[in-house]
Amino acid sequence: MIGHRTPECLELIGSIHEKLKVVFRTNGRVLINTASGTGLQEAAVRNCSDIRVLNCVNGAFSNRWRKVTESNGKENEVLEVEWGQPIRPQQVVQRLENSDIDAITVVHNETSTGVISPIEEIASAVRSTPRGEEIQILVDSVSAIGGAPLEFDKWDLDVALTSSQKALALPPGLSFCAVSDRALVKANSVRHRGTYFDFIELVKYLERNQTPATPAISLLFALDRQLDHMLAEGMENRTARHVILRDITIGWARSKGFTLFAAGGFESPTVTCINNNLNINVENMNRYLRGRGFIISNGYGPLKEKTFRIAHMGDTTTGDLTQLLDVIDAYLSKSS
């Protein structure tokens, strides 16, 4: 362990920051927090809106962002679509017409449903509206960054956030967000940004390769090492591997007679949500998998037992995935 104000820690954070900029595809800054992704959901709405937020909801985690917005006392409207569907650009644009909305929240990859939304197209559509340059585009990419493409600068986003435990393949406890110049200008004008997640304060410290409060230093060492592994693989190669894993999973599901929950063409590259149309007992299957060193996720919330989810993100290999599917096959044969 080292002190968080020592030269060694400053060097560590500086090393991490340059690598995170490559992952987020930005020439700007990427803030580092000891928190979960939900913390940065709160940070984004506290710093980037003082008029009205449009919360785009298509699953459990986008709905969580709605709740975070409301619990922080922000005025909001909700664009809600059926679970399993993506958020589409025209839906967002329609809600912006004749409105005073100054920020939108959208989840890039909805973990609860296995749906990826077209963030690049949404952002382009928002920017093309009469007030488009004034609107803060806030993106939760918790289960996408590191496994699906996100081009922060090119797509002209304002906040893109993720956390350590999904496609970055690290222990939980850290979260990160790229923040645009536009977002910082907005934050400077917003009162009651809070303390722990104040973007202005975080940037001030980041410029000195520090954080305002004590970070999880042991996790920073792990992050620095993992970022080296990711960049050695290459971000394009990494995202291509996730597509291969997704396609293997989808092919397996269909070969067994299962259908997919996600709308066609919007299937997530990091997690596949499968309809339980064969009426298997997902809880029993997971008990069987646990005994053999594996685990998958049941459906989330109202989708429990109606769906199940197979994650294929982070450092997962085709060999890892094949072993898992073989064990599921053994359970299905045994229970049929």
Side-chain angles (χ1 to χ4, degrees):
M1 187 53 61
I2 58 176
H4 70 291
R5 300 294 185 223
T6 62
E8 292 83 358
C9 194
L10 272 60
E11 182 180 351
L12 176 62
I13 291 176
S15 170
I16 287 168
H17 187 229
E18 291 305 311
K19 297 167 190 174
L20 283 173
K21 287 161 64 174
V22 178
V23 172
F24 279 79
R25 292 293 194 261
T26 181
N27 293 316
R29 81 283 298 162
V30 180
L31 304 180
I32 302 167
N33 267 267
T34 299
S36 69
T38 304
L40 289 183
Q41 285 188 337
E42 179 162 319
V45 295
R46 286 191 73 103
N47 283 269
C48 295
S49 176
D50 58 358
I51 301 175
R52 191 182 306 276
V53 178
L54 176 64
N55 297 125
C56 302
V57 176
N58 65 331
F61 295 96
S62 47
N63 191 52
R64 176 182 293 181
W65 213 348
R66 174 192 66 79
K67 293 177 180 177
V68 167
T69 303
E70 294 168 355
S71 70
N72 276 279
K74 300 291 184 178
E75 295 292 330
N76 72 317
E77 297 180 14
V78 180
L79 164 61
E80 188 160 9
V81 304
E82 183 182 358
W83 285 30
Q85 295 294 321
I87 301 297
R88 300 175 191 268
Q90 192 55 38
Q91 294 170 323
V92 177
V93 168
Q94 287 173 352
R95 295 299 294 269
L96 296 178
E97 292 177 358
N98 303 315
S99 78
D100 58 354
I101 288 165
D102 62 345
I104 68 167
T105 69
V106 59
V107 168
H108 187 188
N109 194 75
E110 180 53 74
T111 316
S112 65
T113 62
V115 171
I116 191 163
S117 286
I119 299 299
E120 180 179 12
E121 290 82 356
I122 291 170
S124 177
V126 170
R127 296 296 181 221
S128 68
T129 63
R131 294 180 48 251
E133 290 301 318
E134 305 170 20
I135 296 171
Q136 301 285 312
I137 301 176
L138 315 177
V139 178
D140 174 330
S141 193
V142 164
S143 60
I145 287 178
L150 182 134
E151 300 270 353
F152 186 80
D153 289 354
K154 181 180 177 182
W155 296 357
D156 199 13
L157 308 179
D158 292 300
V159 175
L161 66 95
T162 193
S163 51
S164 52
Q165 76 277 12
K166 292 292 194 293
L168 298 187
L170 285 161
L174 293 176
S175 56
F176 322 98
C177 64
V179 178
S180 71
D181 292 342
R182 184 191 292 110
L184 290 183
V185 170
K186 180 69 174 183
N188 258 314
S189 70
V190 174
R191 298 178 61 200
H192 306 305
R193 296 187 299 269
T195 299
Y196 194 72
F197 296 116
D198 180 354
F199 281 172
I200 304 304
E201 193 76 358
L202 287 164
V203 169
K204 184 193 308 180
Y205 275 83
L206 182 64
E207 288 171 350
R208 306 196 299 263
N209 290 334
Q210 294 184 353
T211 54
T214 308
I217 295 169
S218 55
L219 294 180
L220 293 181
F221 281 116
L223 171 63
D224 193 43
R225 181 78 173 267
Q226 176 65 351
L227 289 171
D228 284 342
H229 292 163
M230 290 173 60
L231 298 183
E233 181 180 10
M235 294 307 297
E236 291 80 8
N237 292 335
R238 191 174 181 86
T239 54
R241 173 168 56 81
H242 280 78
V243 170
I244 292 169
L245 295 171
R246 177 199 65 190
D247 291 347
I248 290 172
T249 307
I250 290 175
W252 170 86
R254 287 174 171 159
S255 74
K256 300 300 172 185
F258 292 110
T259 58
L260 301 182
F261 189 76
F266 298 96
E267 300 91 349
S268 163
T270 62
V271 57
T272 297
C273 187
I274 300 170
N275 285 316
N276 187 16
N277 52 289
L278 301 185
N279 296 316
I280 63 174
N281 188 312
V282 179
E283 186 175 349
N284 283 348
M285 181 170 69
N286 240 345
R287 196 173 294 119
Y288 179 88
L289 294 177
R290 276 182 176 273
R292 287 147 184 84
F294 295 92
I295 187 170
I296 63 170
S297 292
N298 206 323
Y300 197 96
L303 299 181
K304 186 174 183 179
E305 290 294 329
K306 297 177 182 178
T307 65
F308 58 94
R309 294 170 294 153
I310 297 178
H312 33 78
M313 67 177 77
D315 293 340
T316 303
T317 67
T318 54
D320 297 331
L321 182 60
T322 299
Q323 288 181 45
L324 167 67
L325 298 178
D326 286 346
V327 176
I328 297 178
D329 283 344
Y331 173 80
L332 295 176
S333 298
K334 174 177 172 292
S335 59
S336 61

